[in-house]
Amino acid sequence: MDSSISTEKLDGAIAPHTAHAHEEDHAGNSMFGFIIFLLSESVIFLSFFAGYILVKTTTPNWLPEGVSGLEVSKPAINTIVLVSSSFVAYFAERALKKENLLVFRLLWLLTMAMGAYFLVGQAIEWSELEFGFSDGVFGGLFYLLTGFHGLHVFTGILLMGIMLFKSFVPGNYAGGHTGVDATSLFWHFVDVIWIILFILIYVWQ
Amino acid sequence: MTNVPVEGIAIPDIAHPEPQNNWRKYFSFSTDHKVIGIQYLVTSFVFFLIGGLLSMVIRAELITPQADLIDRTLYNSMFTMHGTIMIFLWIFPSLVGLANYLVPLMIGARDMAFPRLNAAAFWMVPIFGILLMTSYFLPAGTAQAGWWSYPPVSTQNPTDSIITGEFVWILAVAISGVSSIMGAVNFVTTIVRMRAPGMTFFRMPAYVWTVFSAQIIQLAALPALTAGAIMLLFDAAAGTAFFNPDKGGNPVLFQHFFWFYSHPAVYVMVLPIFGVFSEIFPVYSRKPLFGYKVVAVSSLLITTVSVLVWVHHMYASNTPGWMRMLFMATTMLVAVPTGIKVFAWVATIWKGKLRLDTPMLFCLGALIMFVFAGITGVMLASVPIDIHVNNTYFVVGHFHYIVYGTITMGMFAAIYHWFPKMTGRMYYEGLGKLHFALAFIGVNLNFFPMHPLGLQGMLRRVSSYEPEYAFWNVVASIGAFLLGMSTIPFILNMVGAWVQGKPAPDNPWRAIGLEWLVSSPPPVENFEELPIVVSGPYGYGKSDPLVENAAALKEG
Ligand code: HEM
Ligand SMILES: [Cu+2]
């Protein structure tokens, strides 16, 4: 037959609507979509990083007057907590895969707590700094980058809260747990971004 | 029977039922990609008319050398809003609308991957548009820094209020950015994961390839503009100094952010039109698309190169010489995949049995004007010429041949071509040809004069000029009014045909492609049974498979 396209019955027994639900992998789509969304988000961060590097390397009066630099030790502890929380989240996800709901909830809660610790630490640091958002280009970039990242940490905690809440609704995780997988991926993403940020802002002064 | 696709084709129905026009669904939060597609198209067309009216005011002001019609502030807001509306509210959303309508049909999917996200992305467009319009009611009026919104002009605040036209402009563009990212995630997921059985990448229509390539650009480059917009917003409203040189900031940094997106963005705009060419030329020449695979892959090549050339917009921004040379070279590189495409279209038309219906006329006109714009583009990409004509009307001429001559005309071609599919009605051929004639003459009268004007040194964004520029300006203004008039037959055609046009058969152009296998308009979930694709697109050849099958079916 010379036809370029032919249509055939896929599965005669299945009515179109049930066939519809049957043949699409909704969870797979969501995860795929989420991953490309994250790739796109990383471009925002990359742009900020590129801007930071460009301005830092070309601006003569980089630090605002009277500011000598940033204190590193407390943010370093904060960093360790945040990065470890990624591993906790990983084990939480594993527990869920093994249908061990109790362990999942405990580890998940621990991840949230570590994220919250990080945020509080950052808030305290902000309150103690002697320069503000509009004090020159350094102040602006510092608060913009750490703030934008902090917003992501906050979003991550919020998402984890929702997933935790959902785990108490019976039958919710019977068929799969894309939401938890996606949240956990988001959390790893936020951590990797922070490591780059930490090196860029605190280590490379 | 109502158009169940059987073994390759829909049997042309003898008695066509009158298509149903349930207009209410177009005002609802529908998640059907076809409804959303038309919502996008109609909404963006309304903005096209508004943007067009603003350009009439601009051209009316420029008919005489003196600035005598409107004051300088109003003039600035006119061209700023004109550019913003045309790019963010006409070109982008209309292209997204067309892709929304066509992509799932063309790849044999029942809908987009995320239908509700799709609807949400659409509804942000009218919100964005209305928000932008409200800035006319602010004390200092709308944004006035042009569509590129360069600081320091854009961060100057003429009032004490934080809510300035510029502030609203940035917010509005940010909403459009969010909507575009949502759309891009949706398109890429749909194309990668929702293709019908047998629809391999190299069996996808070239149009789907171009949408895919364009949406990857959105994902890869648009976030840079978001970063720049966030910083600009803080500079304008919170006193930060990211781009303020007085406090250590770097205004050129904004240009980098802006062009890192806005150059590739021109390919987000033009690639789907290349796709439209690749769909329409074969049908109206009754020949397969020449070099289909190369044409398909060249879209991805354009995507790749497009993110490497942005500095050609910044030659005059104190850019170091080595950087100018580097970006001049990468820019010239774009000519290769683009040239391949042009060659393939010409080879497709060559010695074909041409049918000069309205969609074909618009495509031919658009192709001619694209070639012209490509030449002026290469001229602009060479540093010495650009330094000379930068910020003159030459640039305005170049990009209007693209944005009107190529993209908008190509969009009209697409609307005419798929109108029978979308509405189940035929448009009026006579009105369509009138539209084309007025538009083709109008575009050239309007935008050709800008090239000599630019070479003579007339700057863009001015409301008064030296008397020696008067002649070409008068010609351009006449062209603009002609162009404005050309939309009247289009509107009459669309409204008239939709309400009482002749019912359209399922495949009025005898085209090949999954979208032509379903009824006009297609049923809610597109396919009663998902098609299984057994070979690639564009099987036009010595024999016409569709006709042959129809004969075979009648016998069997
Ligand atoms: C293919 C679709 C194209 C589109 C939609 C497009 C659109 C535009 C637009 C909107 C501008 C003006 C930006 C502004 O200053 O406001 C522009 C300028 C420019 N275009 Fe194109 N263009 C296209 C193709 C090309 C090609 C193929 C080249 C080079 C090979 C090119 C080279 C340039 C250059 C160098 C400028 C900057 C001129 C200046 O500011 O002095 N363009 N283009
Ligand atoms: Cu460019």
XYZ file of all heavy atoms in Angstrom, chain B residues 164-243:
597
model
N 5.761 52.928 38.533
C 5.901 53.718 37.319
C 5.521 52.849 36.134
O 5.319 51.643 36.264
C 7.350 54.152 37.145
O 8.150 52.966 37.101
C 7.815 55.018 38.289
N 5.469 53.499 34.968
C 5.199 52.734 33.756
C 6.235 51.639 33.563
O 5.922 50.520 33.165
N 7.480 51.967 33.868
C 8.548 50.994 33.697
C 8.348 49.795 34.628
O 8.551 48.642 34.250
C 9.888 51.677 33.998
C 11.104 50.859 33.679
C 11.218 50.506 32.198
O 10.745 51.281 31.355
O 11.775 49.437 31.913
N 7.934 50.106 35.869
C 7.692 49.051 36.855
C 6.620 48.087 36.321
O 6.793 46.866 36.320
C 7.229 49.721 38.156
C 7.063 48.782 39.317
C 8.131 48.481 40.142
C 5.828 48.214 39.589
C 7.986 47.613 41.216
C 5.668 47.340 40.653
C 6.750 47.043 41.468
N 5.529 48.664 35.842
C 4.454 47.830 35.296
C 4.941 47.053 34.076
O 4.638 45.879 33.901
C 3.241 48.719 34.924
C 2.186 47.918 34.187
C 2.659 49.352 36.168
N 5.749 47.708 33.263
C 6.282 47.059 32.058
C 7.073 45.811 32.433
O 6.883 44.741 31.854
C 7.187 48.051 31.315
C 7.652 47.607 29.969
C 7.056 47.865 28.778
C 8.817 46.825 29.669
N 7.777 47.292 27.750
C 8.866 46.648 28.273
C 9.835 46.262 30.428
C 9.869 45.937 27.617
C 10.838 45.546 29.794
C 10.855 45.390 28.405
N 7.953 45.956 33.433
C 8.781 44.809 33.813
C 7.908 43.686 34.377
O 8.089 42.517 34.036
C 9.867 45.217 34.825
C 10.782 46.285 34.222
C 10.702 44.010 35.230
C 11.737 46.910 35.208
N 6.953 44.042 35.224
C 6.054 43.020 35.769
C 5.326 42.290 34.646
O 5.239 41.058 34.631
C 5.016 43.654 36.691
C 5.436 43.970 38.115
C 4.216 44.382 38.916
C 6.100 42.757 38.751
N 4.822 43.081 33.701
C 4.053 42.482 32.615
C 4.929 41.543 31.791
O 4.544 40.417 31.478
C 3.459 43.582 31.732
N 6.141 42.002 31.467
C 7.026 41.144 30.680
C 7.392 39.893 31.482
O 7.546 38.802 30.922
C 8.275 41.931 30.231
C 9.301 41.015 29.601
C 7.872 43.006 29.230
N 7.496 40.050 32.802
C 7.802 38.881 33.631
C 6.672 37.856 33.543
O 6.921 36.647 33.440
C 8.017 39.297 35.079
N 5.428 38.328 33.570
C 4.307 37.392 33.443
C 4.384 36.677 32.106
O 4.201 35.457 32.017
C 2.957 38.138 33.561
C 2.825 38.750 34.941
C 1.795 37.187 33.304
C 1.571 39.565 35.116
N 4.710 37.436 31.066
C 4.813 36.798 29.757
C 5.931 35.766 29.757
O 5.825 34.710 29.135
C 5.015 37.878 28.696
O 6.107 37.602 27.895
N 7.024 36.053 30.499
C 8.114 35.090 30.590
C 7.684 33.809 31.283
O 7.983 32.704 30.808
N 6.956 33.953 32.382
C 6.472 32.770 33.100
C 5.590 31.942 32.182
O 5.724 30.715 32.068
C 5.692 33.188 34.362
C 5.038 31.977 35.013
C 6.617 33.875 35.352
N 4.701 32.633 31.467
C 3.805 31.945 30.555
C 4.605 31.211 29.475
O 4.297 30.066 29.123
C 2.846 32.966 29.940
O 2.288 32.491 28.773
N 5.654 31.859 28.968
C 6.441 31.216 27.906
C 7.170 29.990 28.422
O 7.284 28.991 27.708
C 7.472 32.194 27.345
O 6.840 33.269 26.740
N 7.702 30.065 29.634
C 8.416 28.903 30.176
C 7.438 27.749 30.389
O 7.721 26.587 30.073
C 9.122 29.275 31.503
C 10.317 30.187 31.221
C 9.586 28.015 32.234
C 11.487 29.508 30.553
N 6.250 28.080 30.904
C 5.249 27.028 31.080
C 4.936 26.383 29.731
O 4.846 25.159 29.613
C 3.977 27.619 31.703
C 4.113 27.885 33.200
S 2.948 29.115 33.842
C 1.413 28.332 33.619
N 4.789 27.221 28.721
C 4.510 26.698 27.392
C 5.647 25.831 26.876
O 5.425 24.770 26.301
N 6.876 26.281 27.105
C 8.026 25.547 26.569
C 8.148 24.171 27.225
O 8.381 23.171 26.550
C 9.306 26.358 26.784
N 7.964 24.129 28.550
C 8.005 22.834 29.246
C 6.950 21.902 28.642
O 7.207 20.726 28.357
C 7.749 23.034 30.756
C 7.487 21.708 31.442
C 8.934 23.732 31.406
N 5.797 22.474 28.389
C 4.693 21.687 27.857
C 4.979 21.177 26.442
O 4.790 19.989 26.149
C 3.432 22.558 27.845
C 2.178 21.766 28.106
O 2.177 20.546 27.990
N 1.111 22.451 28.451
N 5.471 22.043 25.574
C 5.743 21.627 24.194
C 6.831 20.564 24.143
O 6.700 19.559 23.443
C 6.163 22.822 23.329
C 5.008 23.615 22.809
C 4.796 24.927 23.202
C 4.122 23.047 21.911
C 3.731 25.656 22.727
C 3.042 23.776 21.424
C 2.851 25.086 21.844
N 7.926 20.812 24.876
C 9.041 19.865 24.790
C 8.602 18.500 25.330
O 8.851 17.463 24.712
C 10.276 20.414 25.531
C 11.367 19.359 25.607
C 10.808 21.641 24.809
N 7.895 18.505 26.458
C 7.415 17.229 26.995
C 6.474 16.551 26.005
O 6.568 15.342 25.765
C 6.676 17.456 28.328
O 7.513 18.236 29.175
C 6.363 16.141 29.005
N 5.566 17.322 25.433
C 4.609 16.744 24.496
C 5.317 16.107 23.304
O 5.029 14.970 22.929
C 3.633 17.828 24.000
O 3.045 18.456 25.131
C 2.552 17.238 23.121
N 6.262 16.850 22.738
C 6.903 16.340 21.519
C 7.803 15.145 21.835
O 7.859 14.182 21.084
C 7.684 17.469 20.809
C 6.706 18.527 20.306
C 8.502 16.918 19.651
C 7.351 19.786 19.798
N 8.477 15.183 22.988
C 9.373 14.066 23.292
C 8.582 12.823 23.697
O 8.939 11.708 23.337
C 10.369 14.464 24.405
C 11.169 13.257 24.868
C 11.316 15.527 23.892
N 7.467 13.013 24.423
C 6.872 11.849 25.071
C 5.492 11.451 24.571
O 4.963 10.428 24.969
C 6.806 12.106 26.584
C 8.181 12.273 27.186
C 8.132 12.255 28.693
N 7.270 11.209 29.200
C 7.692 10.041 29.681
N 8.962 9.780 29.710
N 6.826 9.160 30.126
N 4.855 12.244 23.738
C 3.453 11.966 23.416
C 3.248 11.601 21.950
O 2.120 11.607 21.457
C 2.593 13.182 23.747
C 2.728 13.668 25.168
S 1.515 12.949 26.263
C 0.047 13.754 25.671
N 4.292 11.302 21.214
C 4.123 10.980 19.800
C 3.389 9.644 19.646
O 3.558 8.728 20.464
C 5.490 10.941 19.114
C 6.021 12.335 18.780
C 7.486 12.315 18.412
N 8.302 11.994 19.579
C 9.229 11.065 19.601
N 9.480 10.357 18.518
N 9.911 10.832 20.704
N 2.593 9.562 18.599
C 1.824 8.343 18.353
C 2.786 7.202 18.036
O 3.919 7.443 17.636
C 0.883 8.570 17.167
N 2.313 5.970 18.205
C 3.159 4.829 17.861
C 3.646 4.958 16.425
O 2.871 5.274 15.521
C 2.226 3.631 17.998
C 1.056 4.105 18.766
C 0.998 5.588 18.702
N 4.935 4.731 16.198
C 5.477 4.801 14.858
C 5.949 6.184 14.452
O 6.634 6.339 13.451
N 5.546 7.223 15.205
C 5.965 8.586 14.851
C 7.375 8.819 15.401
O 7.543 9.347 16.476
C 4.958 9.593 15.415
C 5.311 11.058 15.258
S 5.340 11.668 13.592
C 3.627 11.948 13.208
N 8.384 8.397 14.670
C 9.751 8.644 15.112
C 10.091 10.105 14.876
O 9.331 10.822 14.210
C 10.737 7.784 14.311
O 10.576 8.128 12.936
C 10.469 6.305 14.495
N 11.230 10.542 15.396
C 11.606 11.942 15.197
C 11.689 12.271 13.707
O 11.256 13.326 13.278
C 12.931 12.248 15.903
C 12.725 12.898 17.238
C 12.406 12.141 18.355
C 12.808 14.273 17.365
C 12.190 12.747 19.576
C 12.588 14.880 18.590
C 12.286 14.119 19.691
N 12.235 11.345 12.934
C 12.364 11.647 11.504
C 11.098 11.340 10.709
O 11.119 11.303 9.486
C 13.579 10.940 10.908
C 14.841 11.711 11.160
C 15.867 11.186 11.913
C 14.970 13.005 10.664
C 17.020 11.924 12.154
C 16.121 13.742 10.899
C 17.146 13.195 11.644
N 10.004 11.098 11.407
C 8.718 11.087 10.709
C 7.869 12.277 11.138
O 6.708 12.370 10.756
C 7.982 9.785 11.002
C 8.540 8.607 10.223
C 7.771 7.370 10.547
N 8.384 6.196 9.957
C 8.040 4.956 10.286
N 7.106 4.742 11.195
N 8.630 3.933 9.714
N 8.434 13.121 11.986
C 7.664 14.293 12.401
C 7.676 15.320 11.275
O 8.695 15.517 10.624
C 8.286 14.940 13.638
C 8.194 14.127 14.896
S 8.599 15.071 16.372
C 10.000 16.033 15.927
N 6.560 16.019 11.075
C 6.554 17.109 10.099
C 7.614 18.147 10.467
O 7.916 18.349 11.643
C 5.157 17.700 10.244
C 4.329 16.620 10.837
C 5.247 15.794 11.680
N 8.164 18.803 9.454
C 9.204 19.806 9.693
C 8.702 20.894 10.635
O 9.476 21.447 11.429
C 9.655 20.419 8.375
N 7.408 21.188 10.580
C 6.873 22.220 11.475
C 7.092 21.843 12.936
O 7.477 22.678 13.762
C 5.374 22.431 11.207
C 4.736 23.406 12.165
C 4.995 24.763 12.067
C 3.892 22.962 13.187
C 4.446 25.660 12.948
C 3.330 23.855 14.070
C 3.609 25.200 13.954
O 3.060 26.093 14.843
N 6.878 20.575 13.265
C 7.058 20.150 14.653
C 8.527 20.281 15.059
O 8.833 20.690 16.185
C 6.547 18.715 14.856
C 6.719 18.281 16.291
C 5.089 18.607 14.440
N 9.410 19.989 14.122
C 10.838 20.189 14.405
C 11.131 21.639 14.754
O 11.897 21.924 15.666
C 11.670 19.801 13.191
C 12.016 18.350 13.115
C 11.312 17.379 12.474
C 13.154 17.699 13.692
N 11.944 16.173 12.618
C 13.073 16.337 13.352
C 14.240 18.149 14.458
C 14.035 15.410 13.755
C 15.192 17.228 14.858
C 15.092 15.877 14.507
N 10.528 22.559 14.011
C 10.844 23.964 14.275
C 10.276 24.397 15.608
O 10.914 25.151 16.338
C 10.294 24.879 13.169
O 8.878 24.707 13.065
C 10.944 24.591 11.839
N 9.076 23.912 15.948
C 8.509 24.289 17.247
C 9.399 23.741 18.357
O 9.720 24.428 19.328
C 7.073 23.758 17.395
C 6.552 23.966 18.800
C 6.151 24.430 16.397
N 9.820 22.509 18.188
C 10.700 21.882 19.170
C 11.967 22.718 19.356
O 12.334 23.088 20.477
C 11.039 20.473 18.675
C 11.851 19.656 19.621
C 11.354 19.332 20.873
C 13.098 19.193 19.258
C 12.098 18.560 21.749
C 13.851 18.421 20.122
C 13.354 18.108 21.371
N 12.610 23.080 18.250
C 13.846 23.866 18.332
C 13.597 25.216 18.986
O 14.378 25.677 19.820
C 14.424 24.087 16.936
O 14.495 22.873 16.238
N 12.493 25.852 18.600
C 12.201 27.170 19.154
C 11.960 27.099 20.659
O 12.416 27.946 21.428
C 10.986 27.774 18.451
N 11.262 26.060 21.091
C 10.939 25.979 22.518
C 12.174 25.638 23.348
O 12.264 26.012 24.518
C 9.822 24.973 22.755
C 8.506 25.351 22.086
C 7.961 26.666 22.583
O 8.122 27.028 23.736
N 7.335 27.423 21.701
N 13.133 24.945 22.745
C 14.378 24.710 23.472
C 15.101 26.039 23.704
O 15.670 26.280 24.769
C 15.266 23.717 22.701
C 14.647 22.326 22.803
C 16.679 23.695 23.270
C 15.414 21.261 22.096
N 15.030 26.914 22.710
C 15.635 28.241 22.914
C 14.967 28.935 24.099
O 15.633 29.530 24.938
C 15.494 29.119 21.659
C 16.260 28.498 20.492
C 15.997 30.517 21.935
C 16.151 29.286 19.207
N 13.642 28.856 24.153
C 12.951 29.502 25.283
C 13.506 29.000 26.610
O 13.783 29.771 27.517
C 11.435 29.215 25.237
C 10.703 29.844 24.090
C 10.486 31.324 24.264
O 11.408 32.047 24.615
N 9.286 31.794 24.011
N 13.664 27.685 26.720
C 14.136 27.120 27.986
C 15.572 27.523 28.281
O 15.958 27.731 29.427
C 14.043 25.593 27.939
C 12.634 25.031 27.948
C 12.658 23.551 27.618
C 11.996 25.245 29.315
N 16.380 27.622 27.231
C 17.803 27.844 27.454
C 18.169 29.312 27.589
O 19.185 29.629 28.192
C 18.609 27.218 26.315
N 17.369 30.207 27.024
C 17.795 31.599 26.989
C 16.879 32.550 27.743
O 17.351 33.535 28.314
C 17.929 32.062 25.542
N 15.597 32.273 27.773
C 14.669 33.195 28.429
C 15.023 33.457 29.894
O 14.899 34.589 30.371
C 13.230 32.660 28.293
C 12.113 33.503 28.895
C 12.137 34.909 28.356
C 10.755 32.881 28.586
N 15.512 32.452 30.648
C 15.857 32.734 32.054
C 16.895 33.836 32.214
O 16.903 34.525 33.239
C 16.399 31.392 32.557
C 15.722 30.379 31.713
C 15.617 31.006 30.353
N 17.751 34.037 31.217
C 18.726 35.117 31.330
C 18.019 36.466 31.369
O 18.380 37.350 32.145
C 19.708 35.064 30.163
N 16.988 36.611 30.525
C 16.224 37.859 30.550
C 15.509 38.015 31.891
O 15.420 39.113 32.439
C 15.205 37.886 29.408
C 14.366 39.154 29.326
C 15.242 40.349 28.990
C 13.277 39.022 28.284
N 15.017 36.905 32.419
C 14.368 36.958 33.736
C 15.338 37.501 34.772
O 14.983 38.368 35.577
C 13.913 35.551 34.149
O 13.236 34.953 33.047
C 13.019 35.606 35.361
N 16.567 36.970 34.750
C 17.570 37.454 35.698
C 17.770 38.954 35.520
O 17.753 39.717 36.496
C 18.885 36.706 35.485
N 17.923 39.390 34.261
C 18.123 40.805 34.007
C 16.932 41.638 34.448
O 17.099 42.713 35.028
N 15.722 41.116 34.217
C 14.516 41.871 34.566
C 14.382 42.017 36.083
O 13.981 43.072 36.580
C 13.283 41.191 33.987
N 14.742 40.959 36.820
C 14.669 41.050 38.282
C 15.598 42.166 38.766
O 15.221 43.020 39.580
C 15.069 39.702 38.921
C 14.026 38.623 38.606
C 15.231 39.853 40.428
C 14.437 37.229 39.063
N 16.806 42.178 38.213
C 17.757 43.191 38.649
C 17.305 44.590 38.245
O 17.451 45.552 38.999
C 19.138 42.862 38.070
C 19.721 41.604 38.696
S 21.012 40.839 37.716
C 22.452 41.621 38.361
N 16.740 44.696 37.040
C 16.255 46.000 36.580
C 15.130 46.506 37.476
O 15.062 47.684 37.823
C 15.768 45.880 35.135
C 15.480 47.183 34.404
C 16.758 47.987 34.229
C 14.856 46.914 33.044
N 14.272 45.578 37.869
C 13.149 45.960 38.727
C 13.665 46.520 40.051
O 13.194 47.555 40.524
C 12.278 44.721 38.983
C 10.900 44.981 39.558
C 10.063 45.749 38.557
C 10.207 43.681 39.911
N 14.664 45.863 40.631
C 15.217 46.365 41.887
C 15.914 47.707 41.679
O 15.813 48.601 42.520
C 16.172 45.343 42.504
C 15.468 44.195 43.162
C 15.795 42.886 42.854
C 14.457 44.419 44.097
C 15.136 41.818 43.455
C 13.799 43.358 44.701
C 14.143 42.052 44.378
N 16.595 47.853 40.549
C 17.252 49.133 40.282
C 16.231 50.251 40.166
O 16.435 51.363 40.648
C 18.052 49.049 38.973
C 19.495 48.646 39.222
O 19.807 48.235 40.359
O 20.309 48.732 38.280
N 15.105 49.929 39.491
C 14.112 50.971 39.237
C 13.312 51.290 40.500
O 12.883 52.419 40.697
C 13.167 50.539 38.115
N 13.115 50.279 41.355
C 12.163 50.480 42.447
C 12.802 50.444 43.830
O 12.234 50.966 44.777
C 11.054 49.438 42.368
N 13.964 49.823 43.997
C 14.494 49.642 45.356
C 15.864 50.282 45.544
O 16.515 50.075 46.558
C 14.559 48.152 45.695
N 16.309 51.053 44.559
C 17.557 51.783 44.744
C 18.812 50.942 44.706
O 19.871 51.390 45.160
N 18.756 49.744 44.190
C 19.994 48.988 44.028
C 20.774 49.571 42.849
O 20.271 50.441 42.132
C 19.716 47.504 43.734
O 18.833 47.431 42.619
C 19.111 46.824 44.931
N 21.989 49.051 42.654
C 22.851 49.676 41.651
C 23.472 48.666 40.705
O 24.609 48.824 40.293
C 23.941 50.469 42.358
N 22.697 47.632 40.362
C 23.287 46.613 39.491
C 23.775 47.225 38.179
O 24.825 46.890 37.669
C 22.263 45.523 39.178
C 21.796 44.784 40.387
C 20.469 44.840 40.786
C 22.694 44.057 41.145
C 20.041 44.165 41.907
C 22.279 43.381 42.273
C 20.940 43.434 42.656
N 22.955 48.114 37.622
C 23.278 48.661 36.307
C 23.609 50.151 36.388
O 23.650 50.825 35.377
C 22.102 48.436 35.347
C 21.645 47.007 35.282
C 20.310 46.676 35.456
C 22.563 45.983 35.060
C 19.892 45.348 35.397
C 22.159 44.656 35.002
C 20.825 44.340 35.173
